[in-house]
Amino acid sequence: MVPDDEGGGLMRVDLLGDAIDGLDEALTAVDGFDDVLVGGLLRPQPGQSDGLMGLAEAVAGTPLASRVAEAAEKTAAGAAGEDHFVALAAARTALLGSVHDALAARVEEVVDRPRAEESAGEAAPGGVGDAGRGEETQASNLGAAARSWLSDLARAGWQGIDHDLVAEAAPVVSAMLPDPALRRLATLLDGFAGELAACCPGAGLERIPVRRWADLWSRAMLLTVPGAGSASAGRGEATGRLLPLGVDVQEHATAVQAQVHGVFEPADGGTPRLVRASVSAPKPDTVVGAGLWQVLRPHMSLLTAVSEERVMALDAMPLTAEGDLIWDDGRARMGDSAEVFTTARVALPTAAAFPTAPLDRHPARLAVPVLLEGYAVEEGDDGAVAFEIAGQRLAVDAERAPTAGPLTAEAVASSAACIGLLRWDAGEFLLQPLAVERTVGKKSVAVHAGAWAGGTSDKAGVRAEKAATDAVKVLRERAGKLLRK
Amino acid sequence: MVTDRFISVPPGLGEDSPFVCMGDGALSLWERSSTARVMPSARPRKLAKVPFVELADGRLQGVVSSGSDARRVYVSSVEAGSYAFTCSTNNNRPCGGGRGWFCNHIRALIGEAVLQYGLERVTRYLKVEDPADAPDVHSLTSAMAGTRPAQGDRSTAAQVFSRFLRHLAYLELDPSTAPVPEMQWFPTTRAVA
């Protein structure tokens, strides 16, 4: 039963299960290409040309048509150059962009919130064919080095990877990481290469994350094109109140990012907007758990606001056309307390989302804050959690929460209300919980994934903080002795 | 067949262990997941004794602090399959502790690797034939030592040491508040290996 008259407006959760026109066709073309990368393109087999041609046909009606058709043909003949690989990556990205748009349109129907006034911007796949700026020679050299490595990967195929090939990414990543303009590509390559290294040699792989690796490969390929990874041009400023909803943590062995989702209420009384604020850092792989918060905390006071359930007052904080606040502690002031579930019930239904940047249109990027109430919890034998609401089953990614935090799968399974991010993966919508409300006795108790972001007095949390502090201390001591001699 | 893969399944697919056999349906869903978790994150451990350990280049390798000299470290490694081992200082002086056997540095390295990655992953990576021989870190070490492995090629020490320095250099890089959309592909997880 859906309580229509309370909670975050009227969610049409029932629509999540409905088929989306054209989705299967687009994904079939994507899958066909992804399968080609499994065996590699050094000596393409006849069977592989179907996947390549299918991708070309799928974009035949777009401006990419002729470049992709040529690339597919050359690649099937075993004569692909790097530009051809870039064209194939662009075609795949465009297709998944269309999948993203269809899914985003469906989510818009489901959440039924105000629409953004801005146009969705240029719909072409971003970046491809952008002219590089001449002065960025070092950057473009590194981009070229990355492209060359990615091309070698495509030729080897996932089944052909070995330690030597994967290790070639390391010097490129090391050279890129210190340059803020290359940080995104470096972070992606680092995570990707780490994963590939753990799976070497590819010849013995029993199963391959086919779509995932094709995603990472395509995205990295496009980011090597000069200009593709630069921040969007349209940038404004945000002055007003920011009400946090929760924090999403992303990590691989050597990087972490925390993204706070919230509602921004402009001081001028304009439409409230859904925004994000991010902080990320490279890290040694032994910095985990509470160590992640410790790395990020000093750079974003908002993490403390999240923990303490407080509003922040923003003064001319930079804001991109996609709704990303470029956080600067100097432009933010801690405000009054504001319960997150109140924000979700009162402010969230009035908040309009920003459009997604062209290059970021991918299903993995969908993360729409929602409030769910009045659901039944379904628990599988294996501990998998799903919510049943209005006759619709919604899978819950209950493990997708930071280890250094109190939001456990058990808390999710015993909840009565949930703030989460609506996502889509492997053919279905799913919910990533950010916070839940449980009824304990007659009281509602909120449990937040990011409760320890700004620090904690929780016993287990304090222990985790201490362990993380000690770990970083040892590493810094070693670095002091060994790095600067 | 024993694999050295470490692959887990996204939630909702009915499996959360990398070792169970998936039905075709679950496998194909996993293959078509953008955010399938391929590598679990390292488990927290104390770093004083063994500041660096990794499963890389076909070896378990890392850096072990000297018990007596704070400025000295040992670079130790055990090769997967053959268990050929090396241990020397970062200035490439051989470790005197082992006398042809696993020295204490190597034993410490194996112990910390198991803490960081879990016994199963280390056992698989090192290609220990019968994981039943190694129900704990002590028996894992004995099982490998019992094959009387040879001394390995010490020239890899420089490479391992430079990887350690590269690892430390991550501490020197500045955090940023510009969004990194690529991190959407790397969701955190509470699930442990």
Side-chain angles (χ1 to χ4, degrees):
Chain A
M1 284 201 303
V2 193
D4 289 353
D5 53 351
E6 58 176 84
L10 210 134
M11 283 256 301
R12 293 289 314 275
V13 179
D14 55 304
L15 297 175
L16 288 177
D18 291 359
I20 294 175
D21 283 348
L23 192 80
D24 288 347
E25 289 83 347
L27 290 174
T28 301
V30 168
D31 290 345
F33 173 72
D34 294 355
D35 290 341
V36 168
L37 288 179
V38 172
L41 294 163
L42 189 61
R43 285 177 215 85
Q45 305 300 306
Q48 289 176 293
S49 82
D50 292 350
L52 293 164
M53 297 311 162
L55 181 68
E57 277 160 28
V59 296
T62 75
L64 288 170
S66 63
R67 286 182 68 172
V68 176
E70 184 199 324
E73 200 174 301
K74 293 276 188 201
T75 306
E82 293 181 3
D83 288 347
H84 297 126
F85 289 140
V86 173
L88 294 175
R92 186 184 183 280
T93 304
L95 275 177
L96 284 162
S98 72
V99 172
H100 166 275
D101 292 355
L103 294 168
R106 173 57 50 86
V107 171
E108 219 168 74
E109 290 174 64
V110 169
V111 298
D112 193 28
R113 288 198 284 253
R115 292 184 69 110
E117 309 103 54
E118 286 89 343
S119 75
E122 181 78 347
V128 181
D130 277 6
R133 278 162 291 174
E135 69 270 23
E136 294 180 340
T137 322
Q138 155 85 351
S140 67
N141 283 348
L142 288 170
R147 201 176 319 143
S148 159
W149 178 70
L150 291 162
S151 298
D152 287 344
L153 273 187
R155 292 188 185 102
W158 310 134
Q159 289 173 332
I161 54 169
D162 60 31
H163 288 300
D164 290 342
L165 173 56
V166 173
E168 282 167 27
V172 183
V173 169
S174 291
M176 280 183 172
L177 275 171
D179 183 346
L182 295 171
R183 182 62 70 79
R184 281 177 53 189
L185 177 55
T187 302
L188 171 60
L189 290 174
D190 210 8
F192 186 21
E195 224 166 275
L196 293 173
C199 295
C200 276
L205 278 174
E206 285 183 339
R207 39 182 189 255
I208 293 172
V210 179
R211 182 174 294 166
R212 173 177 177 76
W213 284 356
D215 273 356
L216 300 179
W217 179 84
S218 312
R219 188 155 185 94
M221 204 47 139
L222 290 194
L223 285 182
T224 67
V225 177
S230 49
S232 64
R235 183 179 289 204
E237 285 179 347
T239 299
R241 295 205 315 163
L242 176 62
L243 300 102
L245 284 165
V247 57
D248 171 33
V249 175
Q250 302 137 18
E251 58 169 321
H252 64 58
T254 50
V256 58
Q257 173 165 263
Q259 259 181 349
V260 176
H261 290 254
V263 176
F264 167 64
E265 296 178 339
D268 64 9
T271 312
R273 305 302 300 255
L274 275 175
V275 295
R276 291 172 300 261
S278 309
V279 58
S280 62
K283 66 171 190 76
D285 67 350
T286 37
V287 171
V288 291
L292 304 179
W293 296 131
Q294 290 177 0
V295 168
L296 302 176
R297 215 174 267 154
H299 303 273
M300 196 159 79
S301 52
L302 180 58
L303 292 176
T304 305
V306 168
S307 280
E308 297 180 358
E309 295 198 61
R310 284 176 183 280
V311 173
M312 290 203 85
L314 308 186
D315 180 17
M317 186 76 77
L319 176 66
T320 71
E322 292 87 53
D324 286 299
L325 293 164
I326 309 298
W327 195 262
D328 172 358
D329 273 347
R331 297 177 182 278
R333 202 163 33 80
M334 200 65 78
D336 299 336
S337 67
E339 281 185 19
V340 167
F341 274 89
T342 307
T343 298
R345 288 185 177 112
V346 178
L348 179 59
T350 67
F354 281 88
T356 304
L359 191 62
D360 289 345
R361 292 160 50 247
H362 186 291
R365 172 66 193 277
L366 271 183
V368 180
V370 294
L371 169 70
L372 290 176
E373 296 182 273
Y375 45 78
V377 177
E378 182 190 299
E379 269 187 279
D381 299 337
D382 49 13
V385 178
F387 291 163
E388 204 187 297
I389 183 163
Q392 174 65 34
R393 182 182 180 279
L394 178 60
V396 179
D397 196 347
E399 299 284 0
R400 186 169 178 169
T403 44
L407 186 60
T408 59
E410 294 74 41
V412 173
S414 60
S415 67
C418 179
I419 297 169
L421 297 173
L422 194 55
R423 293 184 174 273
W424 187 92
D425 188 43
E428 67 170 354
F429 282 101
L430 60 150
L431 184 73
Q432 173 192 353
L434 297 178
V436 298
E437 252 181 5
R438 310 164 68 186
T439 311
V440 179
K442 281 184 181 166
K443 275 176 63 185
S444 265
V445 179
V447 185
H448 301 273
W452 301 355
T456 178
S457 54
D458 178 284
K459 222 166 119 190
V462 168
R463 216 164 34 233
E465 292 274 343
K466 167 81 167 62
T469 310
D470 291 349
V472 169
K473 208 172 116 197
V474 168
L475 292 177
R476 286 209 184 282
E477 210 175 273
R478 286 290 159 194
K481 288 199 177 82
L482 298 169
L483 283 183
R484 283 179 290 274
K485 270 206 292 192
Chain B
M1 175 185 160
V2 176
T3 82
D4 58 353
R5 301 313 146 239
F6 212 93
I7 282 176
S8 65
V9 185
L13 301 188
E15 314 282 354
D16 57 6
S17 159
F19 310 112
V20 291
C21 287
M22 285 185 279
D24 285 351
L27 177 58
S28 77
L29 277 182
W30 185 83
E31 287 178 333
R32 301 304 174 196
S33 162
S34 288
T35 50
R37 284 148 190 159
V38 175
M39 253 196 334
S41 51
R43 303 183 199 182
R45 63 178 182 88
K46 293 199 167 88
L47 302 179
K49 206 155 104 186
V50 180
F52 179 59
V53 57
E54 61 173 3
L55 300 169
D57 302 327
R59 291 184 295 267
L60 161 61
Q61 55 193 23
V63 168
V64 184
S65 305
S66 159
S68 52
D69 180 353
R71 299 191 68 85
R72 193 191 305 151
V73 291
Y74 288 87
V75 180
S76 314
S77 72
V78 179
E79 193 179 68
S82 73
Y83 317 139
F85 61 96
T86 65
C87 189
S88 57
T89 68
N90 50 323
N91 299 321
N92 213 23
R93 299 167 73 92
C95 161
R99 301 174 198 282
W101 295 85
F102 283 3
C103 59
N104 285 336
H105 303 121
I106 286 183
R107 291 174 187 274
L109 181 75
I110 297 169
E112 294 298 303
V114 167
L115 286 179
Q116 180 161 331
Y117 297 110
L119 182 68
E120 248 170 329
R121 186 169 169 197
V122 175
T123 307
R124 250 174 323 129
Y125 195 89
L126 288 171
K127 301 200 172 103
V128 174
E129 286 289 321
D130 186 357
D133 287 349
D136 57 40
V137 63
H138 178 74
S139 48
L140 168 65
T141 308
S142 308
M144 292 194 290
T147 66
R148 300 184 160 269
Q151 302 249 13
D153 176 6
R154 240 176 41 217
S155 67
T156 57
Q159 199 188 333
V160 177
F161 192 67
S162 85
R163 289 178 63 100
F164 175 50
L165 296 183
R166 178 175 187 268
H167 178 83
L168 288 178
Y170 276 86
L171 287 170
E172 318 275 307
L173 295 162
D174 291 327
S176 157
T177 56
V180 183
E182 290 66 35
M183 288 302 287
Q184 295 291 337
W185 274 267
F186 300 95
T188 192
T189 179
R190 292 179 69 92
V192 288

